[in-house]
C-alpha cells in the first residue's frame, strides 16, 4: 500500500477520535457550559446528522477541486472548528462547530476513499478501504480512551486541543505526499455519477452496510452498562473492554482487506452468519466475564471486517460514480451509527434491560442476511449485489 494512504489514515484517526470522544466528555461539557446533560447530548446527534447529510453533498462539491485540494480544505476546516470549540464559552457556538466539523469530516472521508482506491490497482479497493478505515478502529483503541483521560485530567477542552494538534501533522503530510489529481468539473460528469447510483446492486449494498453498522454501534454504545450492570465487572474494566473491541476491529479490517478483493462472498456470507451467532451468544452469556471478554474481541473483528468489505463493495458497484459512491457509503455507515444506538436506547427505555441492545444487534444482522439473500435470489443468475465483485476484482 502507498505510504500516502497511511497518512490519510492518520487524519481519519483524528476525525474518528473527535466523533466518538464526546461519550466520555458530555457531563463535563454540560457542567462547564451550564446546560443539562440531555441538551449536551445534542452535540453527538448534531455530529451524526452532519455526517449523514454532508457525505454525499460534500462529495459532490469536492468534484470541482483537485483531490488534494479538497482533502486539505476539509482538514483545515476540521482543525479550525476544533480550535473554536476548545475556546468557546457558548454552547450554541460549540453546537455549530460540531455540525461544521461533521460536514468537513464527511467530505474528507468521502474524498479520501476515492483517493485511496485511486492509488491502488482496480482489484485492490478492499485493501485500500481497510487501510483507511483502520484509522477509525485505532481511534476506538487509543483515541477515545485517551480523550477521556485528557478530559478527566485537564478538562474537556484539552481533548479538543489534542484533536486539533493531531490534525496538524496529517495536514502537512497530505500537502506533501498525496497526489493532486485534477478537478472534475462539468455538469455532464456530475449527472453521469447520479445516473450510476440508480443500480440496485449499490442500493442493496448501502442498506446492508447501514444494518451491519447499526448492529455494531448499538452494542458498542451500551457496552459500558452491559459490562457493569450485566456482567458485574467494576467500572475500571470499561476502558479495557472498549479498547479490546477496538483491537478486534483493527484486526478485522486488516484481515478482511487482504481477502475481500478476491473472495468477497465468503467474507460477507460466512462473516455475517458468524456475526449473527456471536451477537446471540453474547446476549445469552453476558453475565459471564470470560465469555464477554472473548466475544467483545471477536465481534469487534467480525463487525468491522464485514462492514469494511461492504464499503469496498459499494465502490466496486458504482465504479462510474466514485465520488458519490464514497459519499453515500460514508452516509450509510453513519446512518447505522445513529440508528443502532437509537433502537438500543428504545429497548432500554422500555424496561427490557441492558442485554436488550445485544438482541437488537442480532436482529439487525439477521435483517441484513434476509435482505442480502432476497436480493441474491431476485438477481437470479446475475452477480450478488452484496458480494460478487466485478470482473476487475478477479483479474
Amino acid at each position: 500500500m502507498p505510504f500516502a494512504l497511511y497518512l490519510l489514515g492518520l487524519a481519519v484517526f483524528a476525525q474518528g477520535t473527535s466523533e466518538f470522544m464526546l461519550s466520555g466528555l458530555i457531563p463535563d461539557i454540560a457542567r462547564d457550559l451550564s446546560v443539562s446533560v440531555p441538551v449536551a447530548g445534542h452535540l453527538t446527534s448534531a455530529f451524526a446528522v452532519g455526517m449523514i447529510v454532508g457525505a454525499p453533498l460534500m462529495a459532490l462539491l469536492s468534484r470541482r477541486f483537485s483531490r488534494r485540494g479538497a482533502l486539505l480544505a476539509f482538514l483545515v476546516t476540521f482543525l479550525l472548528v476544533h480550535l473554536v470549540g476548545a475556546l468557546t464559552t457558548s454552547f450554541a457556538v460549540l453546537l455549530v462547530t460540531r455540525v461544521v466539523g461533521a460536514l468537513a469530516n464527511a467530505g474528507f472521508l468521502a474524498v479520501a476513499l476515492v483517493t485511496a482506491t485511486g492509488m491502488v490497482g482496480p482489484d485492490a479497493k478492499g485493501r485500500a478501504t481497510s487501510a483507511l478505515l483502520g484509522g477509525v478502529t485505532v481511534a476506538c483503541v487509543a483515541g477515545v480512551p485517551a480523550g477521556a483521560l485528557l478530559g478527566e485530567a485537564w478538562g474537556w477542552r484539552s481533548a479538543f486541543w489534542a484533536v486539533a494538534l493531531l490534525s496538524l501533522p496529517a495536514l502537512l503530510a497530505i500537502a506533501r505526499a498525496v497526489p493532486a489529481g485534477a478537478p472534475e468539473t462539468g455538469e455532464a460528469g456530475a449527472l453521469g455519477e447520479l445516473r450510476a447510483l440508480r443500480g440496485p446492486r449499490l442500493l442493496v449494498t448501502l442498506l446492508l452496510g447501514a444494518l451491519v453498522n447499526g448492529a455494531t454501534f448499538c452494542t458498542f454504545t451500551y457496552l459500558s452498562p452491559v459490562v457493569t450492570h450485566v456482567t458485574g465487572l467494576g467500572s475500571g474494566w470499561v476502558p479495557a473492554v472498549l479498547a479490546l473491541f477496538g483491537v478486534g476491529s483493527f484486526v478485522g479490517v486488516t484481515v478482511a482487506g487482504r481477502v475481500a478483493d478476491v473472495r468477497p462472498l465468503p467474507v460477507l456470507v460466512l462473516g455475517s452468519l458468524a456475526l449473527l451467532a456471536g451477537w446471540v451468544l453474547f446476549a445469552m452469556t453476558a453475565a459471564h466475564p470470560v465469555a464477554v471478554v472473548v466475544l467483545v474481541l471477536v465481534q469487534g473483528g467480525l463487525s468491522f471486517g464485514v462492514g469494511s468489505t461492504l464499503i469496498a463493495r459499494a465502490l466496486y458497484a458504482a465504479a462510474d460514480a466514485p465520488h458519490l459512491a464514497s459519499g453515500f457509503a460514508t452516509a450509510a455507515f453513519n446512518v447505522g451509527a445513529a440508528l443502532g444506538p437509537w433502537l438500543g436506547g428504545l429497548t432500554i427505555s422500555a424496561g427490557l434491560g441492558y442485554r436488550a441492545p445485544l438482541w437488537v444487534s442480532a436482529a439487525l444482522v439477521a435483517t441484513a442476511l434476509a435482505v442480502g439473500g432476497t436480493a441474491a435470489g431476485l438477481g437470479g443468475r446475475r452477480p450478488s449485489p452484496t458480494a460478487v465483485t466485478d470482473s476487475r476484482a478477479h483479474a
Side-chain angles (χ1 to χ4, degrees), residues 52-280:
I52 293 168
V53 175
L57 293 179
M58 294 298 104
L60 193 59
L61 176 65
S62 70
R63 296 182 76 260
R64 297 183 174 275
F65 304 92
S66 69
R67 290 178 183 174
R68 183 170 62 195
L71 289 169
L72 292 175
F74 287 132
L75 192 52
V76 166
T77 302
F78 181 82
L79 189 158
L80 290 177
V81 296
H82 279 76
L83 293 179
V84 173
L87 293 169
T88 187
T89 58
S90 166
F91 178 78
V93 171
L94 184 61
L95 186 65
V96 171
T97 68
R98 295 307 287 171
V99 174
V100 176
L103 293 173
N105 186 355
F108 183 92
L109 186 55
V111 178
L113 282 168
V114 177
T115 304
T117 54
M119 291 179 182
V120 299
D123 59 346
K125 292 183 179 181
R127 287 189 64 189
T129 299
S130 69
L132 188 67
L133 295 182
V136 177
T137 65
V138 174
C140 292
V141 176
V144 175
L149 290 174
L150 283 173
E152 185 174 343
W154 292 301
W156 65 270
R157 297 176 190 276
S158 65
F160 279 71
W161 282 111
V163 169
L165 291 174
L166 189 61
S167 301
L168 187 58
L171 180 67
L172 298 175
I174 289 170
R176 290 179 60 87
V178 173
E184 298 182 47
T185 57
E187 197 171 323
L191 292 175
E193 288 211 16
L194 288 171
R195 284 193 294 268
L197 294 177
R198 293 182 299 180
R201 178 181 174 190
L202 174 64
L203 298 178
V204 171
T205 304
L206 294 175
L207 175 58
L208 297 183
L211 289 169
V212 169
N213 203 51
T216 303
F217 281 92
C218 179
T219 292
F220 183 75
T221 300
Y222 300 105
L223 199 53
S224 175
V226 168
V227 169
T228 56
H229 290 80
V230 180
T231 312
L233 295 173
S235 59
W237 279 88
V238 172
V241 172
L242 292 174
L244 193 62
F245 187 91
V247 170
S249 303
F250 181 77
V251 173
V253 297
T254 302
V255 173
R258 297 182 180 278
V259 180
D261 287 310
V262 292
R263 299 187 64 82
L265 186 59
V267 173
L268 291 176
V269 175
L270 298 180
S272 297
L273 289 171
L275 193 56
L276 173 59
W279 288 132
V280 171

Side-chain angles (χ1 to χ4, degrees), residues 125 193 196-197 201-202 313-325:
K125 292 183 179 181
E193 288 211 16
L197 294 177
R201 178 181 174 190
L202 174 64
R313 291 304 92 204
L315 299 180
Y316 277 120
D320 294 330
H323 290 82
L324 285 180

